[in-house]
Each structure stands twice: as C-alpha cells, then as structure tokens.
Amino acid sequence: MASILLIEDDPLVRRGLQLALNRHGHEVRVAETGEDGLTEFHTAPSDLVVLDLMLPGIDGFEVCRRVRAAGPVPVIMLTARGDDFDIVTGLAAGADDYVVKPVQPTVLDARIRAVLRRTAGSAEDVRVHGELRIDTAALVVTVRGAPVQLTPTELRLLLTVSRSPGRVFTRNQLLEEVWEHDYLGDSRLVDNCVQRLRAKIEADPATPVYIQTVRGFGYRFGPL
C-alpha cells in the first residue's frame, strides 16, 4: 500500500479516483487546489503525488516544481489533453510520468505501481565514471564530490544506461526498462528526462560526456 496525495480540483474526478485507488489498496489523501496540495504535502509524508495540471490558483506545473524541489517524491501528472506543450512542460517541471484524462483507475494504479518500483532501485556495486560516482546501494549520485539531487525516474535512467557503458539504448528500450511500458512509442518521456539529467550531471550539457546521443538510434553512456 502506498500513501498517495491526489491534487485534483474536479470533485467528481477527485472522489472517483480516491475511492478507486483505495480499493486498489492505497491510502489516498486529497486536495482541490495547488495551495491546499502543497500544504498537505508538507503536513504528512507521501510516497507519490498524483497531480492535475489545470488547477485554480497555483497551477500544476508550479506545484510540481515545488514538490520536486522539496525532495525525490515521484509525481504523476494528470492532463485533460494530450497536447505536446502540456506534456513536455509537465515533464520539464519534474514529473516522472503522465496520464491523459479520462483515465481508467486500473491504468492509473498500474502507472503508480510502476513508478514506485522504479523508485525502489536495486543494490549493486558503486560505479565511478570520471567525475561521476553512482552508489547504487545507497542511491546516491555525486559529481566532483558534490551530491546531485535526481528524481526517481532520472536516477532509474542513469542506473540503466550506466549498467552497460558503450551500449546503445533505443528510446523504446529505455521506455520499456525505465518506464516499464512502451507508451506507444512516446519518446518525449525519454528525451525530456535525458535533458534534465544532463543539466544535473554534465559539466556542459550541450556537449555531454556521460549521456551521449547516437543519432537515429538513441543514447549510450560514456566515457567508455
């Protein structure tokens, strides 16, 4: 069972998802505005936040940025549209996943469980690549000795590609391994996560050393 904070302004959607997720074994707290959601987030710990983007007052994009700044709690955003702008902006704000409304509760539950599995990580050896150090047991990443705060999905992506330096991962392979489903070939998740990860671990994100693009194929981890 996960402790979930659901921030959704539509009372019917909010109540329906709360009841459905409760039936799936989760403990769900709710808020109807961005302000109330942030207050609730700081009042009690949450394993995951489900966040509507179109909120009155502080919108979901800003709520996501503030949740992400507070720590590594995963965020799944709800969007009423499949517009590229909403999805890309939400991912850039730090969301780990997105679901387009209306969403079946069983689908949302599956996405929640997949994100939480990714968050759990796995214990392996410490990996050192140049100035980058990845402690996969403690799930701590440092660059030049300074800790780097990664989202659960960014960490999962880094763990996946650093496992096999030099191997080229296609976007679909990364969707399957990191996000655990294929998203019907939606490569925006991968590309946005790579951009955010580069901004945190690369000395110059424009000329990346660690997460390298292989044009026409995908990404690989270097230096070899």
Side-chain angles (χ1 to χ4, degrees):
M1 181 178 69
S3 175
I4 296 171
L5 173 58
L6 169 63
I7 308 174
E8 164 63 60
D9 67 315
D10 186 314
L12 293 179
V13 174
R14 185 173 64 248
R15 184 58 176 162
L17 289 179
Q18 182 183 28
L19 291 174
L21 292 175
N22 282 337
R23 287 195 296 270
H24 280 90
H26 304 293
E27 177 186 314
V28 183
R29 307 185 333 273
V30 298
E32 62 177 305
T33 68
E35 291 88 344
D36 290 345
L38 288 170
T39 298
E40 185 65 29
F41 176 76
H42 290 294
T43 299
S46 302
D47 297 317
L48 182 140
V49 175
V50 178
L51 171 65
D52 184 27
L53 290 184
M54 298 296 105
L55 294 171
I58 301 176
D59 65 21
F61 301 107
E62 180 60 25
V63 172
C64 185
R65 282 189 284 267
R66 296 191 190 184
V67 168
R68 180 58 61 233
V73 176
V75 176
I76 296 178
M77 62 182 186
L78 300 176
T79 174
R81 305 173 299 182
D83 289 356
D84 287 354
F85 177 80
D86 282 356
I87 293 170
V88 171
T89 304
L91 293 171
D96 297 279
D97 199 352
Y98 72 90
V99 177
V100 177
K101 295 190 294 185
V103 58
Q104 293 295 324
T106 53
V107 173
L108 180 57
D109 175 61
R111 297 285 183 87
I112 288 170
R113 293 178 187 276
V115 168
L116 292 174
R117 284 196 299 271
R118 299 199 301 266
T119 305
S122 60
E124 300 173 6
D125 295 332
V126 172
R127 303 168 189 171
V128 179
H129 304 274
E131 297 178 323
L132 176 67
R133 185 179 187 273
I134 308 166
D135 185 334
T136 59
L139 299 181
V140 173
V141 176
T142 59
V143 176
R144 295 182 293 279
V148 179
Q149 298 300 319
L150 301 180
T151 69
T153 303
E154 291 164 359
L155 179 58
R156 179 79 174 188
L157 176 62
L158 182 59
L159 290 171
T160 298
V161 296
S162 67
R163 184 181 66 226
S164 304
R167 172 187 168 184
V168 177
F169 289 86
T170 67
R171 289 172 174 81
N172 283 337
Q173 286 173 329
L174 290 172
L175 283 169
E176 292 173 3
E177 293 199 37
V178 177
W179 283 264
E180 299 187 358
H181 46 89
D182 59 19
Y183 278 83
L184 301 178
D186 189 349
S187 62
R188 291 171 296 192
L189 284 167
V190 178
D191 294 338
N192 276 275
C193 191
V194 166
Q195 290 175 9
R196 298 196 309 269
L197 183 56
R198 283 173 171 168
K200 294 179 179 181
I201 67 172
E202 301 282 0
D204 180 4
T207 55
V209 172
Y210 300 114
I211 310 295
Q212 302 172 352
T213 301
V214 181
R215 296 192 181 279
F217 292 94
Y219 299 98
R220 70 179 172 207
F221 184 82
L224 305 182

